[in-house]
Amino acid sequence: MVQSILQNEKYCGDVIMQKTFRKDCISKETVVNTGQLPKYWTQNRHEAIVSREIFDAVQEETARRKAMASGTKKSAPTGLGKYSSKHALTGLLICGECGTPYRRVVWTQKGMKRPVWRCVNRIDHGRTYCKRSPTLDEKPLQRAVLAAVNILMSRKDVLANGVASEMAQELAPVPGEVMSLGDIERAIGDLSKRFDRLMNETDGEESIQRNMDQFRDISEQLAALKERKAHVFGLRAENDLLTRRLEWAEQVMAEAPAEITEWNESIVHQLVEEVKVLSKGEIEITFKNGAKIVQTIYVERQEAAS
């Protein structure tokens, strides 16, 4: 029930039309629309009880957890399974060799517990699918991520310009798309009127056969315009989500302290999009505002000895 509520667009004031349709007029069987027909997304159809920012953030987080789940699943070499949000790096730390998420494992040596992160493929399948992914000690890994976060914080002004440029590119019109939603609506209206006039002029089977090509041409144009309308709606929704996402990342950067000296699960989770393991001593951190930083993992002598 909770999952259904979290994914219901009606709570933020929107309506998606044609989620289901009748298979035929004889059986009147209702089936779920999984791509057989276009869907139509109407925004601000009614008063919302959940803000659009919260709703979109929930959809993004749901998608991230579904795509980046980090549990084990030995039946397949993907490493995907149940999501765990106990640690910020869960679902964020990715193997650079096979693309599988890393998982936190606690080793016990001489009575001492040592948390490490390992590629799920290596845990479940040894070297069968992933031959060279390194095991990373947690503390040096966290220090490397924090160092990258602090670099990000120190370059706020420079990165802000980069984010603005990236947003401009992402929000630019799609090549070849010259019609606005208003143009599409007007074209659909004109074609509908043509169809009605043709119907009124049609009288008898002979005239139906004579006008069949025009009926078919109008129907095909209407179908193409409706698909185009749905496509533009989808692009608009994606652009709105991207804008809010980048603004959110900038807001987190603005509110966070100038330098983070201790590991902070919340800040890391809000700022970091992905941490890719390049080697035993190097990771690439991708932030939610699009910035990427390659960071060295430094292991102190005492930790290396243990």
Side-chain angles (χ1 to χ4, degrees):
M1 182 61 70
V2 172
Q3 187 74 7
S4 174
I5 291 173
L6 292 177
Q7 295 179 341
N8 192 335
E9 77 286 347
K10 291 182 176 65
Y11 286 91
C12 70
D14 295 351
V15 174
I16 297 178
M17 309 294 290
Q18 209 159 252
K19 288 183 177 179
T20 61
F21 65 95
R22 286 191 174 181
K23 191 173 182 180
D24 55 68
C25 59
I26 298 175
S27 67
K28 297 183 179 179
E29 179 186 357
T30 300
V31 297
V32 177
N33 184 5
T34 57
Q36 301 93 325
L37 296 173
K39 296 180 182 179
Y40 303 99
W41 186 354
T42 304
Q43 291 188 327
N44 303 318
R45 178 73 176 269
H46 52 269
E47 186 177 354
I49 61 175
V50 175
S51 72
R52 189 173 301 278
E53 290 75 17
I54 292 177
F55 183 81
D56 287 342
V58 169
Q59 307 317 303
E60 182 181 356
E61 180 64 16
T62 300
R64 187 185 73 85
R65 293 186 182 194
K66 189 178 293 184
M68 305 289 285
S70 62
T72 61
K73 186 178 180 182
K74 292 189 176 182
S75 60
T78 60
L80 299 182
K82 186 176 180 182
Y83 177 84
S84 170
S85 60
K86 186 176 180 180
H87 304 282
L89 291 176
T90 298
L92 299 182
L93 190 62
I94 305 298
C95 178
E97 181 180 350
C98 68
T100 301
Y102 265 57
R103 178 187 176 193
R104 189 178 190 268
V105 180
V106 178
W107 286 350
T108 302
Q109 296 177 330
K110 298 180 180 180
M112 299 292 292
K113 292 185 177 181
R114 174 189 170 194
V116 299
W117 289 80
R118 301 188 67 202
C119 171
V120 173
N121 255 341
R122 288 293 298 274
I123 295 174
D124 287 349
H125 307 285
R127 296 178 181 272
T128 304
Y129 301 105
C130 189
K131 302 184 183 302
R132 294 175 295 275
S133 63
T135 297
L136 302 178
D137 284 286
E138 184 171 74
K139 287 184 179 180
L141 174 63
Q142 289 180 346
R143 285 198 297 266
V145 173
L146 279 185
V149 169
N150 286 326
I151 292 174
L152 181 81
M153 303 305 292
S154 66
R155 293 162 50 191
K156 288 182 183 179
D157 295 338
V158 176
L159 288 170
N161 295 331
V163 170
S165 175
E166 182 178 340
M167 285 179 62
Q169 290 296 323
E170 291 290 343
L171 300 178
V174 179
E177 185 57 71
V178 295
M179 294 183 70
S180 66
L181 282 174
D183 294 334
I184 295 174
E185 290 285 6
R186 284 187 288 273
I188 290 175
D190 292 341
L191 285 171
S192 298
K193 291 177 182 178
R194 281 182 55 194
F195 190 91
D196 292 339
R197 284 197 300 270
L198 197 61
M199 283 292 295
N200 293 331
E201 296 169 0
T202 301
D203 183 20
E205 185 176 347
E206 184 178 344
S207 61
I208 291 176
Q209 292 297 328
R210 185 174 59 251
N211 295 331
M212 187 59 69
D213 289 341
Q214 293 187 59
F215 279 125
R216 186 181 299 110
D217 181 57
I218 293 174
S219 298
E220 289 176 354
Q221 290 186 57
L222 281 170
L225 284 170
K226 288 178 180 179
E227 288 185 6
R228 197 168 186 176
K229 178 181 175 181
H231 177 64
V232 172
F233 266 123
L235 291 175
R236 175 182 285 184
E238 290 177 4
N239 288 340
D240 289 345
L241 178 58
L242 175 66
T243 302
R244 283 190 290 273
R245 179 182 174 186
L246 294 176
E247 289 175 348
W248 184 27
E250 288 299 296
Q251 182 180 354
V252 173
M253 288 175 59
E255 295 176 353
E259 183 178 5
I260 304 172
T261 57
E262 295 183 357
W263 182 253
N264 187 307
E265 299 276 348
S266 177
I267 291 179
V268 171
H269 177 73
Q270 292 181 72
L271 286 179
V272 177
E273 177 74 19
E274 180 184 275
V275 180
K276 183 183 293 185
V277 179
L278 303 179
S279 65
K280 180 71 174 178
E282 199 171 56
I283 55 176
E284 180 185 68
I285 300 93
T286 301
F287 293 93
K288 290 186 177 180
N289 64 359
K292 291 187 178 183
I293 296 176
V294 175
Q295 186 66 36
T296 302
I297 300 175
Y298 294 101
V299 181
E300 296 180 358
R301 292 182 180 180
Q302 184 177 358
E303 293 174 346
S306 63

